[in-house]
Structure formats: C-alpha cells, structure tokens
Amino acid sequence: QFLYFIVVWRQFFRAALLFTMRLAAAAACALLLAAAVAASPASDLSAFGYDPKANPSAVVTSGNARFTVLSNYLVRMEYSSSASFEDGPTLAVVNRNTPVVQFTQSTSNGVLTITTPAVTVNYHTGQEFNANSLTATTTAGGNWYFGQYDDKNLFGTIKSLDLLCNPTLNCSQNSDMRIHKESLHCTWGVVSQNGWAVYDDSNNYLMNGDWFDNSARSSSTTDIYFFGHGKNFKAAAQDLNRIAGKQPLTHKSLYGSWYTRWFDFTNDDIQGIVDNYKKAGLPLDTLILDMNWHTKDSWTGYSWDKELYPVPSDTVAFAHNQGLRIGANLHDAVGFGPWEDQYSTMANAVGIDPSSKQTVPFMPLNKTYMHTMEDSVLKALGFDVWWIDWQQGGNVGGTEGQQMNPTFITDHVRSTDSIRRGENKRDQILARWGGMGTQRYPVGFSGDVSQLSWQCMAYQPYFSATAANVGYGHISNDLVGPAGDHELHVRWMQFGSYSPILRIHDRGMSSGGCWGSDSCAIVNMWFLPFKYLDAIRSAMLERSALQPYIYNAQRLAYDTGLTMVRPMYYDFSAEPEAYTVLTPNGGGQYMFGDDMFVDVITKASTESSGLVQWGTWIPPGTWYDDVFGEVVTGPQTLNRQYMLNDVPRFIRAGAVIPRVANPTEIGVAGGAYTEVDWSVYPGATSGAGRMYEDDGASLDYISGKYAVTYAAWSLSGTTYTITIKAANGSFTGLPANRQLRVILVGVPPLSSATVGGVPVNYVRFPAAGQASYTYDGRTGSAIVALGSQSTASDVTVTADLVQADTNPSMTRRMKVFAKRAAEGKRVTDDYQATPFETVAGPGNVKQAGARAGYISAVAGTSPSTAVGLMGLNYWNLITEAIAEYGGSPGPTPLPTVQMQYLLQFFDHQRGDMLLCATEECVATNGNYQLMWIDGWQAQSGDAGKTALYDYYDSDYADNWATTQSTSPQSGYTAAFFSDGAVFDTSNGGAGKNCIDVYYLAATQDHLTTSCPEGAQWATDNGYTKVSSCIGYTYASQPGATSAERPSLASAQAHVDEIRKKFRLAKQGGAIAKPPKKAKKIIKKGKVMGSNDDPTAIATQIFQSMTG
C-alpha cells in the first residue's frame, strides 16, 4: 500500500508540474523563439562526411518525378506536384552522395525504365505515383507496386518496452498504441522475405546543419526508398548505413558492464557498491545514478542533492579513479525551475528575468535553450553519460510529434555536443528510440521492464536482434532478478552478457513496500545464493574477456551497418529455420558477431538437477559447440541438456577469437589491451581472426587513427603454426608491447613449442609474462605463453602435439566431462553422500571429479600418460561412476567410425528397426539385435555420394533412416550419431540396390532397407512401402569375391567387438554400493530441506554429458 501511495503521488506531482510547465511555455514562447541563435559551425553531418545531395550522375528526372540510384539495390523515388525536390538531410536520411553505380535509363511508349544490375524500375511518365504507374522488379524475384503492403517484412523496432512485455513489432498493428502519451515510433525493417522493402520518408522533417526545421514537408510530396535486395540482407544493412548514417562507436567502457538502481545512494554508498562488485568478483565499467542524484523539487533536476553528495566532485573523481564512467538520469519535460543552481544562467539565456522565479519551460527546438543547457549546465556537472529518460509525451515543447519528437531531438543534441563544440571525444547517452536515424545516437534504452517474468525476459533477445533491421545495434535492456526465481535472474544475466550492452537496472522494485516480505527484486547480485551468483559471475566475466571480439564487431557494424547482435537470417537467408529460431515467445538464437552464435535459454528447468532440455538449430557449415566440446555440422537441430551455468554458444570452426587474458573485475572494458589471448577453435585445419583497437574515447577513429591485428593458424600433421601479425595502423595509446598467449582449444597435450623460433619449456604454473607452454585439463586446451611481444613485429608460434589425435571428438569433450563430473560430485559432496567418500572402495565418482586435474598435473612430465587418461578412458570412468551411483550410462559420445557395410537391427521390446552404418550407431544401441547385412556403403573415392541420416521419435520409439538432411516429419529429431554414406538417386545402375522405406502403422515403425531380406521382412510383417529408391547401396562388397565377403556370423562378431570395445554392454559383476552411512545422510538431507535425492541429481548430471 505504501508503494502504491508513492507511485500515485509521483504521478500526481508530475501531472501538476507538466501543467505548470505548459502555462509557462505559452507565456515564454515568443521570448524563446526570439532568442534562437545561428547554426553552429560543426555538426555530425560534417564530422562523419555525410553529404545529403546525390551525385547528379545518379539522378534521373522525369517531369514531377525524380529517381536517384543510390546503389545496385537501392533507389530513391520522389514525386512532387510542383517538381520541388528535396536535397537536404532529413532526420532519417543524411547521406545520398553514394558511389555511382552503372545503370541504364530509357523511355518507350511513355514508360521510363531504369535498370541496375539488381533492380528494374518502371514509371509511367507524367502520372502521380500509384499502383499502376510505378512498379519495380528485382533480379532476386521480387515484384513490387507503389503502395503495396509488405506482408513479409521482418520488422524493425519501437520506442521502448515501457508498460509492455511482448508487443508486436508490426507497425500496422501497433500504430494506434500510445505509451506515456507518445506513439511507439514504430519503424519497419528494411529487409523482407518478399525480397523488397520500402522506407517512406515523405512526412519526415529536415535537418538544418546541426539543427532542426520544425515545418512539415508538403503533403503533396512523396519520398520513398526502395530496398530491392532480395535476401541479401547484409547488403540492405550496408545501404541503410550509407544513407541513414553510421552507428558510431561509443566510449569503449560502455561495452562492458553497467549498474543502475533507483535508490537514495550517498557518496559512501557508491563506494560500497564498487567494493561489493570487487568482493563478488563481478565486472563493472559504467555506473549510472538514477533520478535520486538530484534535488527533489521536481521529477527532474539539474542540481546535485547536496544532502546525499556534499562534495559531488568527489563522487565523480572516485568513479574515474576506479576506471569507471559515471552518468545520471534526466527527465527534461518539467523544464528548468528556480530552485536549480544554474537557474539564473538559463533564465538570462532565454530572456526571462531571474527575479521573476518563473520556470524556464522545456523548449527542445530552441537552440539557445538547448545549447545553454548543454554547455553551461550539464557540462559543469561532470558526468560522462546522460540517461535521457524521456517518457512525457511525443509533442511536448512545441514539437510536432511522430518523428519530430523530444526523444529524437535530445538524443541528437546530447550525442553531438562534443562535435559541435569542437571537442575530440565521444558523447555518451542512454535513450529511447525516436524513429529512423536514432541509430546514429547510441546507446539505446528499451525502457523500464514491465514485469519480471520468463515471458518478458524471453522477448528481449527477439527485440534486441530484430532492431538490426533498422541498424539499431546498440540497444540495451533492463536486467534485474525477481525475488522468488533466481534461475530466471541467471538466465536474464546470461542473455545480458551476450547483448549489445550489458545494463543492470532496477526501476524501484528492489525496495519500498515489498521490503520485509521477501518479494523485493534483487539487483545487488552478491545477495544471491552462491550457485546463482557463480553462474552470473561466469557469464559476466566471459563478456569481459570477450571485449576485444565485441569491440571488433562494433567497428565492423560502424563500417558495414551489420550489427553485432542480429537474426540468423542475415547470415543464412536461404535456410527456412533461420526465420523461426528467433521469436517473441522464447526463441532466443542469434548471431553474436561474425564468428559466433548463441541460443540463450529462456525457459525454466523442470528437472530436480536444474538441467534444461534445449534445442538449437545448427546452420550450414562447421561449428564448435563450446559447452559440449563437439564439432558439429549443419543444417541440423541438436537437443542438449544444459546446466545452470551453461550458455549454448557455437563458434565457427577454425575461428581465432581475441580475448582479454585474466580480465580484472573493475574498469577492464575501457582499458588498452595489454594482455591478449588468441583462442584457436577446432573443426578446421586453418583459420584466422582479427582484433580492432583505437583509443576508445576520441573521434580519431573516424579519420583512420586505429590499428588492426590479424592472427592466422594452420595444422600440418601434429604441428600447429600460429602467426600474430604486427598491428596494422596506429593511434595514441597503442601499447608498444603486450603479453600474449595462444590457446589451442580441444587438443591433447603438447610435446614441445617455440615462440619466434626459440623453444620454450613446459611450466605447470607459469609466472606472469613467462614464455612457456602448459595444459589445462579442465578445458582440454593447450596454452602457449609468448611473454611480452612488440606490437610492431610479427611473431610466430609452433606447437607440437604429443601424438596424432586419433579420436579428436572425444578429446574435445574434455571440457564437458571435467565440468559435469566435478559438478555431479559436488552435489553429493554437499550431503556427504558421494560413494566411498569415507570408506575404501573403487571411488569412481571421486576419480571422475579429479580426472581433469590429474591430466593437467602430468601433461608436462608424462604427456603420453595424460593422453591415456583422456578420451574413451575418461568416458569409461564416467560410465563406472554412473554405475557407482546406481544409474545406467545412457548414450555415449563415441567417435564416428564408418563401416563398409550397412547392418539392420531390431529391438523386440520397442518393435523398432534400425539401420546402422557406423560403429557409433552400433555401440550406442546395445539393446538392438543384429538381423542381416543390408548392403554396402559408398566408399571414400566414389562419386555421387550422399549422407545417410537417422532421426528418432521418442514418443513412438522409432528410428527412421533417410537421405533427407532435415527431419522427415514433426516429432523426429536427429540422432546424436552419424550414419554413413550411400549413393544419391541419380547414381543407381548395375550392382546397386534401391533403398526403400516401409512403414508399419500398428507399431508406428519405419524400416529402411535395400536388400531382399528387408523386403521379405516387410512383406511378412505387414509393412507398407512409403518411399521408393531414396538412394542406392552396393548389392555386394566392392572388389571382394564371394568367399571373402563376411557372413552374418562374422558381422555379429564385429558387433560384439564394437560394443565390448566401448564398454557399453550391460556392466557385469558386482558393483559396490554406497556405504550405509551415505544413505542415511541422503535421507537426512531430505529432512533438512532437500526435495530431491542428491544421488539422483548427480546421476542426471553425469548422464547429461552427451546432451
């Protein structure tokens, strides 16, 4: 009730103030307008080299119509009844002087035709634009007519999510919505599955240098931009970047971690917040003070509250001393009251007598008012970042509303202050979307989160990534945790760690009337139970480590318009799944830069173990699964089980990712890269990466003062060669030297290494800066430390594996083995319930939990021993640990070993036929009985091969072998084993058999077979043929005589050998049980509050290692 009273009071107080302000505005309007000053000499248009007037060679005029060819895909189309065309910048479009492309124009039978390599425009001359007079086609197959509704537009963005949880981004459906008396400024995307999109700039307002023309354009003017890019969405992003303006780099610190809380902090409290971040091991880079920082005479304020901050400069100095940026909240609508410290300055500037104590009304279109506010008031306060928390209406202060709104104006002014003043620094704001063009003014604020729910959290990845369609790449969302759902808090922070901006913000839900009832939200993460804090810390520190990769991606966004966070369809536009894995209701998969995609988990676990079953679409290509350590190829869908501290992340095979080595917790994002790790990811035999740097604070990057460092690697035999090139370019602050490491992910230990041609020694625990090599069994990574290296010179590293990796798929799984074995053991350790914890016995669980450390310890002194402890040996230990817990091993992550023949199996209990072509398939289906040899596979040198896939429906226990690379039917998911190769449908002929598919409805079983025995089985058991000749197999073993061909008995012996080798048959003999003491403790644990048997939980974690 108390909190409700506070909210109602604030709303009343704000309404009264707004009413007073409007009265004052009416009285002072003439004075304010009379005080407007001339345009300032510098603007962002000139600073970034924008020229709104197109090259005349790109312009075609026909009577009252004008067409401007801006690229092969992009054409501006204007119609004016007076033939008055606009060459000035609008709020949205600031640059039309793009490189002229080749095009043709001709007029025949009254039709003007303009043709580029990608687009053809037809205009019936002399007519106004309408559906019949103006059409376009694209070489990608798109057809458009003027006024056509884009029913497949991929959407853009809206003003904010204030009071909204998962709104539609369809501008036709939300056009009438008003939040805080302001439209949503909904903007359509410039990409569409129709192959074309249109941006309508007809009713937009003009810029005049660095200022605004508040007069609307003529209603008889049409001004549209036709994006005819087909599904080349990257090119659409680049064209938008050219004409609407680049996404500037903001201060480098802002790509790190932000903290904001609506709370009456004092100077000492601020220092305490920083101390708690340090104690909790959490990164922090930007500190924003909510509206509590200023005096409380009004909803907004421009004067420090001296009761909280007696010496404001000390607060700012403390933040800067810690390497932090510091900012503050503003609500400008109320105007400038007589209680403000700088009231006389503002009143005199606009011609108001200070002695009148008349409030200076907010007039955003008055240059004198705004520039005096910026230069004389705000600048003196010492803040680095201004949070423009505008939510008071769309046409306050004399603006026209819609695109000409206070949000856009204040965003523009405060993002370009330094340019206008001639200062060489990047301005920093946090503000809502004001319409197309806002992408030029980072950072974006998605508004106050409406509620702390899985539904609202699940919407944010969709909202953030879809903003790429209007070039809005710096958007940020509120991150805060509900009191009663720490798992949601963790998943929200994991998403934030893979967002454009990681910004924690509590809008007042962490205190007030909820206090004392355990219902307050949690913004101070150090109050969380350890496992939740640890999971959040892991995600946030990983973001800190990825700062070079993130900053590199942001520079590429500046250059190309392709935002770091973007939907999968930008990179895989031909794949239908790319359009379905990012949804408003929980699909959270998106690209994170060029070499990585993530699939953030947006649902709660239903398992006592905390594991979440989650499906991820793998796009075409080869990718490294960073959680499970697997190299996977797409397209396919993987279903995995993820722990609380897992973030599904996939890295392009062969990528080289630059990282901050051992990131410190405070202020790391804004610092120079003095210690860099280059992580080399598996799945290829060569690869490359790059790292972009500049001073992180000035505008020098615009004029070329930056450096790019490239790294490349190759593998020949057992030797890795990695070259880190000299920094290409220069800027003030480029380190002359830096500490470097090369991390080879998912490899066995090394036998030797060189740095710059000089051999280095193995060192188990190398000192800082010591050139050496070592091995980390926890991640299955070999590490070569280069020591201090000059940034002006190339340096080459060689690393020799101790032996050829004969089973790389198992080696790479070291990471998941080590992590989950340790976690499963910890669960039962907490209850003193780990088998043989206090008594003698096999201790397989203990050994599994300790194995990674064992491998690390012996990798240098006895690398062959370390190799022997890895791979299948480690897996076998894990299966024994599961048995020790009393469980069954479950599926195994076995390597793919293709057999020559195809074997048909049958499970009598399930009534399921299974066609196997790999040892992996045979070994992981140990309960299936061999029936016959079904055919012979295509061999390595054969032409016309195609893959054989297996899909499984768990509801019907049905395996379905097919040559389809995607699931043949809803409910079937790809098996985790590969299944060989056959011939495609165009490569049949003599000596080959058709592969047919049969179906038995009674048991809902599919039989895929290519031999007479299979056809006879189908007939005898009532199967119906449903697919004919989906491929071909050899009818007999190629190159072998009948005497040399294996019999069914020899095939059975081979099956037995495979299953024995991988130890997947039912474990025989007596397995020692946990001591009785442990069982009693488990029971006691339940009495003490545990709802689940920790042994069962640990078993689930062990069994989840294969997904």
Side-chain angles (χ1 to χ4, degrees), residues 155 165-167 169 454-466 567-569 576-590 599-600 602 614:
F155 304 146
C165 186
N166 56 350
L169 297 181
W454 284 97
Q455 182 185 26
C456 290
M457 177 266 179
Y459 182 80
Q460 287 187 357
Y462 167 78
F463 186 67
S464 296
T466 305
M568 300 295 290
Y569 47 72
E577 292 85 354
Y579 300 86
T580 63
V581 294
L582 182 74
T583 67
N585 301 309
Q589 184 174 336
Y590 52 86
D599 187 14
V600 292
T602 58
W614 194 251

Side-chain angles (χ1 to χ4, degrees), residues 52-53 76 85-90 93-94 96 206-207 225:
K53 187 172 183 178
R76 185 189 189 194
F85 303 113
E86 184 56 63
D87 288 326
T90 68
V93 179
V94 294
R96 304 185 189 95
L206 301 177
M207 299 288 295
Y225 292 80

Side-chain angles (χ1 to χ4, degrees), residues 1051-1067:
Q1052 181 64 60
H1054 185 200
V1055 168
D1056 293 342
E1057 179 185 354
I1058 292 170
R1059 289 171 173 171
K1060 181 179 179 181
K1061 179 172 64 173
F1062 295 117
R1063 305 188 69 176
L1064 289 174
K1066 181 72 175 177
Q1067 296 290 329

Side-chain angles (χ1 to χ4, degrees), residues 58-73:
V59 178
V60 177
T61 303
S62 176
N64 292 339
R66 184 171 76 165
F67 301 87
T68 306
V69 179
L70 296 167
S71 79
N72 287 332
Y73 305 95

